[in-house]
């Protein structure tokens, strides 16, 4: 029969090259990956046989066999009696990468071996990992229930091409033969393989068989526990076994941060084993990235990435759900509108939130590590899941004026505990960075009075803080919006100063409003400022600059905003302005102060060239040069 040559897809070639270089110290994983594929193939056949029972002869047990020939040429063979592949499937499944996020994976590669090997781990090398240890790989496969009933032989040395030919095979399923590289011959040792299987694949749901030790024994024995991990009692499972199962499930090289294994009994019955990874996957922010749990019904594998069982803001959670109540023929469509699914989802959501809250209480450092990786995602829950908001709010962490580092460390519970005696609000401010928020004019007086302000700087913050209402009966207050009334926290001195300011500056405020016209809705004496001359403030329920940008980015047209200009009448520039009698110069300086405030708010000023020219005219005047020789901006 003729042999056909095919080239690997470019991405596969790249992956092969990269993998062989950067995964040398993780060589063992090839076995886990191949066993995992064999187990997937068995799972698939069992699932298909629900609708087509003839696919699986009644007495046939799904298994995985591992053979070696240490004495001979040094090969390792992994065999299953699962779903198998036909010729076309072998060509496409073993010659391309069909995963979503592939492009972004390749973009993120840095050339730094350490970093890249992490990334490859998250991406999943799968079948191609065979080439870490093998100089030549042969795959024999026959698809179960395929009427053509012949098989396919696939072979490659993992460079640029692979060969495919049609061959006769007696049995269905797949056999993969690894011809080990000289420096990887150690894997042909039966004892070595057994220990790897026990370490990495002890708790996959199928028996893994190897020939009994001893000369020329043809008898096979099961070398793993072959009981799906989640079906075992918690008390019988070691931490190490949970960790290994996570790596089997997620193909992630790193250890999980924490996990939760639970059986729910009674009216509703299901078992869940949920993991929080220690590192964010590279495609956490991609919409099309697969997410969700591996779904089983009564121990029969149904589907990967069942996303209906957890809300979007917990999309980093990995794990298994085994339900006793869902029908075996359940489809993605059914899952979307099922009351049972809804109930499980709500149960699992609570479970994860409790797990995180326990971690936060028990181990602040570990929780900080979690927050660094997944905090931004978890935050989405404030808006996405109002029913659980009370559970989510205490999990948030913020940067704060009361901390010297910019890392988010402060919880709302901590904030409320150290509030000033008469303080009524939880103050926060959003800016482009924590550093910008920290030095913002909006919080000058709050800082002066030693009142803590939470400093927010992520894109999503503008959105979720809209949902902030109360925490432990304290209302939230955006320091850049509305009236900032310190109430009882004001000192007698503050009050006296404010009264006299108000009296003395009536005229100035009116002149500034006249000069600025429609740009602002009002000019008033500010309560926020201590050092800066001016700031712009929007109404309590109006979108501020950050919010406007967010809405505009989603394509919404915003009406022009008309903020209030707050002035610090103790500021030297403002005092100078008050003395200015020339109407034109007064107008210029007032406009300049307004534009500065807009810049500080993070807004685009209408015309930056006007602004720069205005500023330059002022500077020129300071140098005493005649106005006629003024350079353009
Ligand atoms: P993944 O398992 O994440 O899909 P892999 O690279 O491990 O990626 O495998 C690629 C594909 O090759 C699988 O999705 C499957 O379709 C096919 N495949 C690999 N091994 C087997 C096997 N033992 N039996 C049947 N199909 C297999
Ligand atoms: Mg795989």
């Amino acid at each position: 029969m003729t042999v056909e040559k095919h080239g690997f897809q470019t991405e596969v070639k790249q992956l092969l090259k990269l993998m062989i270089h950067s995964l040398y110290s993780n060589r063992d994983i090839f076995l886990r990956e191949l066993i995992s594929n064999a187990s997937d193939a068995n799972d698939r056949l069992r699932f298909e046989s629900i609708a087509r029972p003839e696919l699986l002869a009644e007495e046939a047990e799904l298994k995985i066999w591992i053979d070696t020939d240490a004495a001979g040429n040094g090969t390792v063979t992994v065999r299953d009696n699962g779903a198998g592949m036909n010729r076309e499937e072998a060509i496409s499944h073993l010659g391309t990468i069909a995963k979503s996020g592939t492009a972004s994976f390749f973009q993120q590669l840095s050339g730094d071996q350490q970093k890249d090997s992490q990334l490859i781990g998250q991406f999943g090398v799968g079948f191609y990992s065979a080439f870490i240890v093998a100089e030549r790989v042969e795959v024999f496969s026959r698809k179960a229930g395929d009427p053509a009933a012949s098989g396919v032989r696939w072979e490659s040395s993992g460079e640029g091409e692979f060969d495919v030919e049609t061959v006769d095979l007696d049995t269905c399923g797949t056999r993969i033969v690894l011809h080990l590289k000289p420096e990887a011959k150690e894997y042909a040792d039966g004892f070595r393989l057994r220990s790897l299987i026990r370490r990495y694949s002890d708790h996959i749901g199928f028996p893994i068989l190897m020939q009994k030790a001893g000369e020329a024994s043809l008898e096979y024995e099961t070398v793993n526990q072959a009981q799906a991990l989640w079906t075992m009692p918690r008390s019988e499972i070691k931490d190490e076994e949970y960790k290994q199962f996570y790596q089997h499930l997620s193909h992630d090289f790193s250890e999980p941060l924490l996990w939760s294994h639970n059986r729910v009994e009674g009216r509703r019955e299901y078992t869940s084993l949920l993991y929080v990874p220690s590192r964010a996957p590279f495609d956490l922010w991609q919409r099309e990235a697969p997410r969700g749990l591996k779904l089983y019904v009564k121990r029969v594998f149904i589907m990967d990435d069942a996303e209906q069982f957890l809300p979007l803001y917990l999309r980093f959670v990995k794990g298994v759900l085994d339900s006793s109540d869902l029908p075996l023929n359940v489809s993605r469509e059914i899952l979307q509108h099922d009351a049972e699914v809804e109930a499980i989802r709500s149960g699992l959501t609570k479970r994860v939130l409790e797990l995180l809250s326990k971690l936060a209480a028990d181990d602040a450092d570990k929780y900080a590590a979690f927050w660094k990786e997944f905090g931004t995602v978890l935050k989405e829950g404030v808006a996405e899941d109002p029913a659980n908001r009370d559970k989510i709010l205490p999990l948030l962490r913020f940067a704060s004026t009361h901390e010297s580092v910019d890392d988010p460390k402060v919880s709302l519970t901590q904030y409320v505990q150290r509030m000033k005696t008469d303080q009524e609000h939880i103050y926060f401010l959003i800016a482009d960075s924590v550093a910008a928020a920290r030095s913002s004019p909006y919080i000058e007086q709050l800082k002066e009075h030693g009142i803590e302000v939470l400093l927010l700087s992520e894109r999503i913050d503008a959105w979720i803080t809209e949902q902030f209402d109360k925490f432990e009966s304290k209302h939230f207050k955006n320091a850049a919006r509305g009236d900032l009334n310190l109430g009882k926290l004001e000192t007698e001195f503050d009050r006296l100063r404010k009264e006299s300011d108000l009296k003395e500056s009536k005229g100035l405020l009116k002149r500034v409003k006249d000069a600025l016209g429609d740009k602002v809705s009002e000019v008033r004496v500010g309560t926020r400022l201590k050092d800066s001359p001016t700031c712009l403030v929007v109404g309590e329920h109006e979108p501020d600059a950050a919010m406007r940008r967010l809405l505009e980015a989603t394509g919404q047209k915003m009406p022009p905003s008309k903020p209030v200009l707050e002035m610090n009448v103790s500021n030297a520039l403002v005092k100078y302005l008050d003395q200015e009698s020339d109407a034109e110069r007064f107008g210029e300086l007032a406009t300049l102060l307004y534009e500065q405030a807009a810049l500080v708010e993070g807004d685009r000023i209408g015309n930056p060239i006007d602004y720069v020219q205005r500023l330059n005219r002022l500077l020129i005047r300071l140098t005493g040069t005649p106005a006629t020789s003024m350079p353009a901006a």
Side-chain angles (χ1 to χ4, degrees):
M1 270 172 249
T2 54
V3 177
E4 218 175 74
K5 255 196 197 320
H6 291 263
F8 283 119
Q9 180 196 22
T10 317
E11 283 83 353
V12 176
K13 281 189 231 167
Q14 262 173 292
L15 181 67
L16 282 167
K17 213 182 266 164
L18 198 74
M19 191 182 67
I20 290 163
H21 284 121
S22 46
L23 294 189
Y24 190 80
S25 50
N26 299 78
R27 291 198 302 174
D28 292 354
I29 62 143
F30 82 92
L31 191 64
R32 186 182 78 203
E33 292 296 331
L34 296 183
I35 290 177
S36 149
N37 283 350
S39 156
D40 289 349
N42 286 356
D43 267 337
R44 241 178 297 135
L45 182 60
R46 185 190 280 165
F47 175 67
E48 283 163 14
S49 72
I50 298 167
R52 297 172 60 197
E54 72 277 10
L55 288 182
L56 197 58
E58 223 161 273
E59 71 284 8
E61 202 192 331
L62 292 164
K63 293 179 186 167
I64 297 165
W65 293 263
I66 314 273
D67 287 294
T68 68
D69 70 335
N73 304 320
T75 61
V76 173
T77 303
V78 179
R79 176 160 61 99
D80 64 69
N81 54 349
M85 287 175 276
N86 61 27
R87 188 182 169 113
E88 290 70 47
E89 287 169 337
I91 294 171
S92 80
H93 296 336
L94 307 182
T96 56
I97 304 174
K99 254 177 255 192
S100 67
T102 302
S104 99
F105 162 72
F106 281 103
Q107 273 162 20
Q108 286 181 44
L109 290 169
S110 63
D112 173 335
Q113 239 175 56
Q114 186 111 44
K115 275 194 210 138
D116 287 350
S117 72
Q118 268 303 333
L119 203 60
I120 297 175
Q122 294 184 335
F123 179 70
V125 284
F127 168 76
Y128 302 106
S129 63
F131 291 100
I132 307 176
V133 296
E135 57 189 10
R136 192 159 64 88
V137 176
E138 285 179 286
V139 179
F140 299 86
S141 194
R142 197 180 122 193
K143 194 175 165 78
D146 192 339
S150 60
V152 58
R153 178 178 168 280
W154 179 104
E155 178 183 339
S156 175
S157 57
E159 267 139 17
E161 300 171 323
F162 58 89
D163 294 336
V164 178
E165 65 179 317
T166 300
V167 293
D168 281 327
L169 296 175
D170 300 338
T171 52
C172 294
T174 302
R175 179 157 57 96
I176 297 179
V177 185
L178 309 182
H179 299 269
L180 297 170
K181 294 176 183 176
E183 70 272 22
K185 291 282 189 214
E186 64 195 84
Y187 288 106
D189 173 34
F191 290 105
R192 178 77 196 269
L193 285 175
R194 272 163 204 250
S195 91
L196 288 181
I197 292 167
R198 249 174 255 123
R199 175 131 55 95
Y200 292 127
S201 311
D202 212 18
H203 289 295
I204 66 159
F206 300 98
I208 300 175
L209 292 96
M210 287 186 70
Q211 274 177 358
K212 278 188 175 158
E215 75 279 13
S217 166
L218 291 177
E219 224 180 302
Y220 281 86
E221 63 183 344
T222 303
V223 297
N224 67 335
Q225 298 217 30
Q227 187 184 359
L229 189 73
W230 68 91
T231 63
M232 297 169 53
R234 271 195 304 217
S235 56
E236 286 174 23
I237 308 176
K238 296 193 206 76
D239 280 1
E240 192 50 35
E241 294 176 299
Y242 276 121
K243 289 180 189 170
Q244 292 302 346
F245 189 74
Y246 165 78
Q247 296 184 331
H248 159 75
L249 198 73
S250 66
H251 304 266
D252 184 358
F253 294 176
S254 38
E255 291 194 350
L257 192 69
L258 69 166
W259 57 85
S260 164
H261 181 196
N262 289 91
R263 193 188 313 281
V264 171
E265 272 157 356
R267 206 160 65 78
R268 199 162 268 129
E269 282 184 23
Y270 63 87
T271 301
S272 62
L273 173 51
L274 305 178
Y275 289 96
V276 175
S278 52
R279 259 178 254 258
F282 72 97
D283 53 4
L284 186 64
W285 296 102
Q286 267 151 33
R287 280 170 162 275
E288 83 285 14
R291 59 186 180 85
L293 304 176
K294 217 174 161 92
L295 175 65
Y296 289 76
V297 171
K298 301 185 191 80
R299 302 195 190 171
V300 176
F301 167 76
I302 304 294
M303 65 177 81
D304 279 309
D305 311 323
E307 53 191 37
Q308 294 80 1
F309 294 97
L310 284 170
L312 198 56
Y313 71 95
L314 297 180
R315 61 181 172 275
F316 50 86
V317 172
K318 300 223 154 82
V320 173
L321 174 70
D322 192 344
S323 155
S324 301
D325 308 320
L326 291 169
L328 279 166
N329 63 354
V330 69
S331 65
R332 277 184 204 275
E333 290 65 45
I334 295 177
L335 288 181
Q336 268 162 18
H337 318 277
D338 189 274
E340 181 65 31
V341 173
E342 203 49 51
I344 297 177
R345 175 190 169 107
S346 139
L348 295 184
T349 303
K350 289 217 165 60
R351 180 87 55 207
V352 175
L353 294 177
E354 273 158 24
L355 187 67
L356 293 175
S357 138
K358 190 166 174 326
L359 177 69
D362 294 350
D363 190 338
D365 287 344
K366 216 166 161 186
Y367 189 78
F370 159 78
W371 185 259
K372 184 161 167 282
E373 295 295 314
F374 300 112
T376 315
V377 181
L378 185 67
K379 266 187 198 174
E380 294 172 7
V382 174
E384 189 190 340
D385 192 359
N388 282 310
R389 199 171 288 159
D390 287 352
K391 295 198 172 66
I392 299 169
L393 284 178
L395 294 174
L396 305 185
R397 292 294 178 272
F398 302 88
S400 150
T401 49
H402 277 31
E403 301 289 334
S404 52
V405 289
D406 285 353
D407 303 334
K409 281 169 55 175
V410 178
S411 70
L412 291 171
T413 314
Q414 206 176 350
Y415 182 101
V416 169
Q417 270 164 9
R418 61 193 191 194
M419 272 169 80
K420 297 231 168 233
T421 322
D422 286 324
Q423 190 178 336
E424 289 167 11
H425 292 106
I426 299 172
Y427 293 97
F428 67 90
L429 181 73
I430 309 176
D432 285 342
S433 66
V434 172
R438 204 183 279 286
S439 57
S440 168
Y442 291 108
I443 59 171
E444 284 171 357
Q445 283 297 347
L446 289 168
K447 282 199 293 195
E448 174 72 8
H449 285 79
I451 298 169
E452 181 165 17
V453 183
L454 302 175
L455 308 171
L456 286 69
S457 63
E458 290 184 310
R459 231 180 120 92
I460 181 184
D461 290 331
W463 176 48
I464 61 144
T465 52
E466 291 299 314
Q467 321 292 327
F468 279 2
D469 176 30
K470 272 192 279 186
F471 179 78
E472 293 182 4
S473 77
K474 306 287 181 196
H475 283 277
F476 285 93
K477 175 94 180 96
N478 184 335
R481 288 195 193 176
D483 210 2
L484 192 74
N485 190 347
L486 296 185
K488 287 186 188 146
L489 294 167
E490 261 183 7
T491 60
E492 187 62 18
F493 173 76
D494 292 334
R495 253 189 301 280
L496 289 175
R497 199 203 61 192
K498 217 163 75 181
E499 266 167 40
S500 76
D501 280 355
L502 281 174
K503 235 182 273 158
E504 284 167 23
S505 44
K506 270 219 178 85
L508 172 66
L509 298 181
K510 182 165 183 325
R511 282 171 77 203
V512 174
K513 169 69 179 121
D514 289 345
L516 295 178
D518 262 358
K519 289 194 182 74
V520 294
S521 61
E522 184 192 341
V523 179
R524 67 181 179 215
V525 172
T527 49
R528 292 172 166 81
L529 303 167
K530 180 174 164 280
D531 303 317
S532 307
T534 48
C535 67
L536 286 173
V537 179
V538 296
E540 202 70 65
H541 302 290
E542 273 175 61
D544 56 22
M547 193 64 197
R548 294 172 69 85
R549 276 199 300 279
L550 198 72
L551 292 172
E552 277 165 359
T554 68
Q556 295 200 43
K557 271 226 168 331
M558 301 294 295
S561 89
K562 265 201 180 183
V564 172
L565 181 72
E566 287 196 353
M567 302 196 84
N568 173 5
V569 291
S570 326
N571 176 277
L573 267 176
V574 175
K575 284 189 168 145
Y576 176 85
L577 181 69
D578 200 15
Q579 304 301 313
E580 180 61 71
S581 52
D582 180 281
E584 196 187 325
R585 289 198 208 167
F586 181 90
E588 286 232 307
L589 187 54
T591 307
L592 208 56
L593 290 179
Y594 158 82
E595 285 171 334
Q596 283 187 349
L599 282 174
V600 165
E601 197 201 10
D603 214 354
R604 287 176 295 256
I605 48 176
N607 185 344
I609 299 186
D610 281 355
Y611 168 76
V612 172
Q613 286 182 344
R614 226 185 311 282
L615 188 62
N616 284 352
R617 276 197 292 276
L618 200 76
L619 293 175
I620 294 281
R621 211 177 296 143
L622 285 180
T623 63
T625 319
T628 43
S629 61
M630 190 200 71

